[in-house]
Amino acid sequence: MLGWFKKKFSKNDEAATLKEKEKGIVSDTVLSSPECLPSVTEPKKSDSATEGIKKEEASGLGTMFQRLSTRLSKTKESLVHRMDTLFLGRKEIDADLFDELEEILITADLGINTTMELLDDARRNVKRNALSDPQELKIVLKEKLRSFLMESDQPAELVRPESGPFVIMVVGVNGVGKTTTIGKITKKFKQAGQSVLLVAADTFRAAAVAQLKIWGERNDVTVVHQQEGADPSAVAFDAIDLAVAKEYDVVIVDTAGRLHTQVNLMEELKKIKRVMGKRLEGAPHEILLVLDATTGQNAVSQAKLFNDAVGITGLALTKLDGTAKGGIVACICRELSIPIRFIGIGEQIDDLRDFNPDDFINALFGDETHKH
């Protein structure tokens, strides 16, 4: 479990619910008169929304580990099963085997550099006579992939401030599942008894604000927003004001996601980050980049550009269940050394998994003996 989601309250969840209700009573008076201040959409009590979440939770099949293994089936087919077929009946490791293995690794979107490092490591083992059986080669590759994931892994709780709201700025291009990811993360915080304030700083698309409001209703949390075309930095600044005044535990800021090649988007994100830091020292404490796994190597390019602009501290990789290019996970970890916080393996609200390197590798290679 990610360190962010440890239970805050030792008593029952009524304490968290009461805190949310108390915030709702005073919110309208705090932000009442000046037109420049953002609007606040208070959560609506929706039985149908709650029932929908419960139905989604009930529809999950098998254990969480089994679900992860099942949802990674396309990557398993393109990587692990093809390796098994290649190694089947082989008695020795030769140049032809390495050539075919290289094609398999690149096809799974591990990338040229990551693939070459994997193969070079395997060749060194062969030369030292530490490796001769093709079946053992699979184990060597598996453990090397695990090492890539472990090297970039960092405890998530390290970015949390000792006091005041924990501010998460979420970035990413349009279409990667950014707002949906925010909604699912919000649920995790709520389940841990923490109060959450959502901030609609993507003021260029009315649909983005509307979508965030829907997630606010589903999770029974407040959403701060302004009219379309407002200054995103001003929305973020005023939201931090509100969060500090009402002692929210977590603030999650949604941002615009036009094409990552546009300079003005990056400048806008830099400004939002800068303005939040002026209002609250250290904010944003986490800059989470959401990437679509189905885009393969393009996701690596996006990550490098966003990282250069605002300094990414964590990654969420969505749509892993819909791609055979799951090797991109290892590629990103190796090339960027940025920890992966979450992986998306389905559309259900609980299908955003806290990323665990061991679970991911064991599920991918079908090793249930080491499941967590």
Side-chain angles (χ1 to χ4, degrees):
M1 179 180 69
L2 210 64
W4 295 346
F5 308 123
K6 291 177 182 176
K7 279 282 185 182
K8 182 181 178 184
F9 301 110
S10 57
K11 297 180 180 180
N12 58 35
D13 289 338
E14 289 180 5
T17 304
L18 179 60
K19 191 173 182 180
E20 283 293 320
K21 286 180 179 178
E22 290 172 349
K23 287 182 172 59
I25 293 172
V26 297
S27 63
D28 287 335
T29 57
V30 172
L31 294 174
S32 55
S33 52
E35 292 181 0
C36 61
L37 291 179
S39 303
V40 176
T41 299
E42 299 291 352
K44 296 178 182 178
K45 298 296 180 183
S46 173
D47 292 336
S48 60
T50 304
E51 289 171 5
I53 293 174
K54 288 180 179 178
K55 286 179 181 178
E56 287 180 335
E57 291 169 343
S59 64
L61 300 175
T63 66
M64 293 297 281
F65 182 85
Q66 289 169 338
R67 284 177 65 189
L68 176 61
S69 183
T70 300
R71 300 296 173 83
L72 293 176
S73 60
K74 290 185 179 180
T75 297
K76 289 170 71 173
E77 182 65 37
S78 70
L79 179 61
V80 180
H81 294 171
R82 287 184 67 193
M83 278 199 293
D84 288 339
T85 302
L86 174 63
F87 298 153
L88 186 65
R90 296 275 186 132
K91 300 299 183 183
E92 62 178 2
I93 301 173
D94 54 23
D96 289 341
L97 185 143
F98 274 119
D99 286 342
E100 293 183 56
L101 182 58
E102 179 180 334
E103 180 184 343
I104 291 172
L105 297 175
I106 291 176
T107 303
D109 238 327
L110 280 155
I112 297 293
N113 294 333
T114 305
T115 295
M116 290 302 104
E117 185 170 341
L118 282 167
L119 295 178
D120 288 346
D121 183 67
R123 288 189 181 100
R124 282 193 294 270
N125 277 285
V126 172
K127 286 182 179 179
R128 293 199 309 264
N129 295 320
L131 184 63
S132 58
D133 184 355
Q135 293 300 327
E136 294 175 357
L137 178 56
K138 178 182 174 182
I139 298 173
V140 169
L141 293 170
K142 172 184 174 182
E143 293 311 315
K144 189 64 176 177
L145 285 170
R146 190 194 306 274
S147 73
F148 289 151
L149 272 52
M150 296 298 292
E151 285 168 10
S152 68
D153 194 39
Q154 299 171 24
E157 54 267 32
L158 291 181
V159 299
R160 288 205 71 153
E162 292 184 8
S163 61
F166 174 35
V167 181
I168 304 173
M169 177 177 170
V170 184
V171 300
V173 302
N174 288 340
V176 297
K178 191 163 69 265
T179 308
T180 299
T181 297
I182 289 172
K184 293 178 178 181
I185 293 173
T186 299
K187 189 205 172 191
K188 290 174 177 286
F189 279 117
K190 288 282 290 183
Q191 287 178 325
Q194 300 182 51
S195 56
V196 182
L197 181 68
L198 297 182
V199 185
D202 181 356
T203 60
F204 298 98
R205 290 192 310 126
V209 176
Q211 188 182 5
L212 199 64
K213 285 182 181 179
I214 291 171
W215 278 107
E217 290 179 11
R218 291 192 76 187
N219 287 300
D220 193 25
V221 299
T222 298
V223 179
V224 175
H225 56 91
Q226 269 195 21
Q227 70 276 14
E228 188 175 351
D231 182 359
S233 299
V235 180
F237 184 93
D238 292 333
I240 299 293
D241 259 348
L242 176 62
V244 171
K246 297 187 180 181
E247 299 182 348
Y248 274 91
D249 298 312
V250 182
V251 179
I252 306 179
V253 183
D254 189 14
T255 61
R258 295 183 307 280
L259 288 177
H260 60 281
T261 51
Q262 292 188 2
V263 176
N264 61 338
L265 170 60
M266 296 305 173
E267 291 305 315
E268 176 190 296
L269 295 178
K270 289 177 185 178
K271 183 181 176 184
I272 295 173
K273 176 184 177 181
R274 189 168 60 249
V275 167
M276 285 196 291
K278 286 181 179 178
R279 177 56 188 87
L280 180 66
E281 186 176 357
H285 308 100
E286 171 86 346
I287 300 179
L288 184 72
L289 172 63
V290 182
L291 297 169
D292 179 348
T294 64
T295 61
Q297 290 299 309
N298 189 41
V300 180
S301 300
Q302 289 177 29
K304 289 178 178 177
L305 287 166
F306 277 98
N307 192 41
D308 288 344
V310 292
I312 303 303
T313 58
L315 300 169
L317 208 55
T318 65
K319 308 179 187 180
L320 267 172
D321 58 314
T323 181
K325 300 179 178 182
I328 195 66
V329 174
C331 180
I332 286 174
C333 286
R334 178 193 169 277
E335 296 211 8
L336 300 175
S337 297
I338 298 172
I340 296 177
R341 306 292 194 201
F342 307 98
I343 54 172
I345 56 169
E347 296 181 0
Q348 295 179 19
I349 200 163
D350 285 325
D351 283 334
L352 185 73
R353 294 286 304 271
D354 298 355
F355 183 67
N356 180 296
D358 282 324
D359 279 356
F360 181 82
I361 290 295
N362 293 333
L364 189 60
F365 281 82
D367 183 2
E368 293 199 41
T369 60
H370 296 95
K371 64 186 177 182
H372 285 66

